[in-house]
Amino acid sequence: MLEKISLLLTEVNSFKSSDKGEIEQFRIKYLGQNGILKTLFDDFKTLPSEEKKTTGQKLNELKNKAEEKFQELKKLLPDQDGDNSEKFLDLTLPVNKGTVGSRHPVSIVRNEIIEIFSRLGFNVSEGPEMEDDWHNFSALNFPEDHPARDMQDTFFIDNSFSQPAGSDKNKKPARALRTHTSSVQVRVMENQKPPIRTISPGRVFRNEAISARAHCIFHQVEGLYIDENVSFADLKQTLLFFSREMFGEKTEIRLRPSYFPFTEPSAEMDVSCFLCNSKGCNVCKHSGWVEILGCGMVDPAVLENCKIDSKKYTGFAFGMGIERIAMLKFRIDDIRHMFENDVRFLKQFSSAV
Ligand code: PHE
């Protein structure tokens, strides 16, 4: 038996493996419930007592060696049980970045507009999306029955919206969802003294049939500049600066006479088509120009409505649709994409910031 144990000892000492299966086989062979050691210990019981001492020592040595060997080999295995993880922690592996969201094209363009005008000293002001008749229409020179009110199909919240506000002092003024951000002009002029230089980005609402070109919700940025001696030339130069910053330094602008109840004179502004360099494409409908915004000199009656002295002060205002500019810049062919929150669409603009 002693001889057998010695043989097994050399076998155990020389055993080498880095294979998980083989190491497990080694454990089963020597230390398992029906393993070699179990049999040897059973045989040991039957030995004559004079042999027990030396054989017992040898047998224990074999048992300890086999256990030691098994633990040793197990430790060298690549991390499986988590007990030797630090040995195999590879700090050079790339980090799992996770998924990050991207900015909406409307936000990208809005931020760019704010940034450009802030360089000219314009601050940002906001107003409520739910407006009263005064701020959305009356203060802006839309008389009760003026046909211009038809230009903007309105979502009314109270039926009594068209009743003159303030006719009953206890009655809360009737409201509608604002049809343009020009309502913020009125709020700013009512609350601040000139000089005023502000832009007002925000959501507007019109009761329009939804199509590729039009939506019942969209975003505008309103601009307002009131001071002494503000002229149409200031308006033109401000818009030229904006257009070149926004669409490229070669951009030209064109002002066409137009009509808005709250500006006089009024104009619509086109920029030279930056997609085809004015050569003609289907975006500019082969005219070389694309319409961007409405603008004009603030009507003196509007200044007076807001308690600003129209003899002392003049000013200009303009308003543009953010979706329209985003569609042109990013060549988006359907405004409905902007509101559907399809991540496949939204993801495309993250690198455009
Ligand atoms: N409010 C006008 C619109 O919604 C745009 C505009 C703003 C025109 C300011 C002139 C001055 O179409």
Side-chain angles (χ1 to χ4, degrees):
M1 187 162 182
L2 270 172
E3 225 168 275
K4 195 175 169 192
I5 294 172
S6 295
L7 272 175
L8 287 168
L9 253 174
T10 24
E11 205 179 288
V12 164
N13 279 331
S14 60
F15 178 77
K16 269 197 191 95
S17 175
S18 56
D19 179 85
K20 201 185 174 210
E22 277 176 24
I23 295 170
E24 182 58 9
Q25 282 309 311
F26 172 87
R27 188 191 64 81
I28 293 167
K29 182 177 167 192
Y30 289 96
L31 304 160
Q33 280 196 341
N34 299 312
I36 291 173
L37 276 154
K38 170 85 176 41
T39 331
L40 285 176
F41 273 107
D42 285 344
D43 295 347
F44 173 77
K45 285 180 200 146
T46 62
L47 283 182
S49 49
E50 60 272 21
E51 283 179 35
K52 271 197 172 150
K53 196 173 171 219
T54 36
T55 317
Q57 278 172 354
K58 270 276 178 215
L59 201 53
N60 274 329
E61 191 187 336
L62 177 66
K63 182 180 164 235
N64 292 338
K65 272 275 178 266
E67 267 167 5
E68 246 172 53
K69 191 75 174 186
F70 172 68
Q71 291 303 335
E72 195 179 293
L73 293 175
K74 204 174 83 170
K75 250 193 193 160
L76 292 174
L77 281 178
D79 183 23
Q80 310 265 351
D81 313 320
D83 54 347
N84 58 346
S85 48
E86 68 280 2
K87 247 186 194 154
F88 295 93
L89 182 64
D90 185 352
L91 294 173
T92 64
L93 283 174
V95 185
N96 177 8
K97 284 199 196 126
T99 34
V100 218
S102 56
R103 242 183 251 294
H104 194 284
V106 167
S107 304
I108 294 172
V109 170
R110 184 200 51 210
N111 292 348
E112 209 175 325
I113 296 171
I114 292 174
E115 199 271 321
I116 295 169
F117 280 105
S118 74
R119 280 190 263 145
L120 294 176
F122 283 74
N123 63 10
V124 175
S125 44
E126 285 179 350
E129 290 178 353
M130 218 195 276
E131 264 301 3
D132 51 49
D133 176 274
W134 172 255
H135 292 97
N136 197 79
F137 289 128
S138 297
L140 290 164
N141 247 359
F142 288 79
E144 279 305 299
D145 53 356
H146 197 286
R149 287 193 193 228
D150 298 340
M151 279 161 59
Q152 336 225 333
D153 294 2
T154 308
F155 288 115
F156 293 100
I157 290 159
D158 310 282
N159 290 334
S160 54
F161 188 78
S162 54
Q163 299 297 310
S167 55
D168 177 349
K169 282 271 173 288
N170 296 323
K171 216 173 95 192
K172 270 176 101 187
R175 292 152 306 163
L177 296 177
R178 67 179 177 198
T179 57
H180 53 181
T181 43
S182 299
S183 56
V184 189
Q185 273 191 43
V186 179
R187 288 185 177 273
V188 171
M189 286 192 280
E190 282 174 339
N191 294 307
Q192 291 174 31
K193 297 250 161 302
I196 294 169
R197 248 178 297 178
T198 192
I199 55 167
S200 324
R203 226 172 350 185
V204 299
F205 308 84
R206 290 184 195 176
N207 193 359
E208 293 202 45
I210 296 171
S211 71
R213 307 247 126 237
H215 210 285
C216 57
I217 302 174
F218 58 101
H219 298 77
Q220 284 188 330
V221 176
E222 189 82 6
L224 179 70
Y225 179 27
I226 311 281
D227 203 350
E228 288 176 42
N229 301 318
V230 177
S231 71
F232 201 93
D234 298 320
L235 169 62
K236 197 177 162 189
Q237 202 57 31
T238 303
L239 295 178
L240 180 64
F241 173 80
F242 163 73
S243 303
R244 291 192 168 160
E245 291 297 303
M246 192 72 185
F247 303 112
E249 57 186 20
K250 295 210 175 72
T251 308
E252 295 297 338
I253 61 167
R254 174 172 93 168
L255 290 157
R256 285 178 288 105
S258 185
Y259 173 76
F260 299 102
F262 39 94
T263 46
E264 183 58 36
S266 303
E268 259 156 22
M269 188 190 85
D270 301 337
V271 291
S272 52
C273 185
F274 51 91
L275 297 171
C276 64
N277 286 326
S278 302
K279 287 190 183 71
C281 64
N282 50 9
V283 173
C284 63
K285 302 201 186 75
H286 300 279
S287 70
W289 297 95
V290 279
E291 190 194 318
I292 293 294
L293 54 81
C295 59
M297 300 305 291
V298 180
D299 193 304
V302 175
L303 294 175
E304 294 297 334
N305 282 340
C306 302
K307 312 258 177 316
I308 289 178
D309 183 354
S310 64
K311 296 206 175 55
K312 189 170 178 202
Y313 295 107
T314 51
F316 64 70
F318 55 86
M320 61 188 115
I322 304 182
E323 278 82 0
R324 179 162 170 75
I325 295 178
M327 285 172 77
L328 288 167
K329 262 190 101 109
F330 300 129
R331 308 208 66 164
I332 300 164
D333 60 1
D334 194 320
I335 195 171
R336 289 169 290 199
H337 290 311
M338 303 274 194
F339 302 96
E340 276 163 6
N341 286 334
D342 183 334
V343 283
R344 291 168 304 179
F345 168 77
L346 295 173
K347 269 203 301 212
Q348 299 175 59
F349 309 98
S350 48
S351 58
V353 204

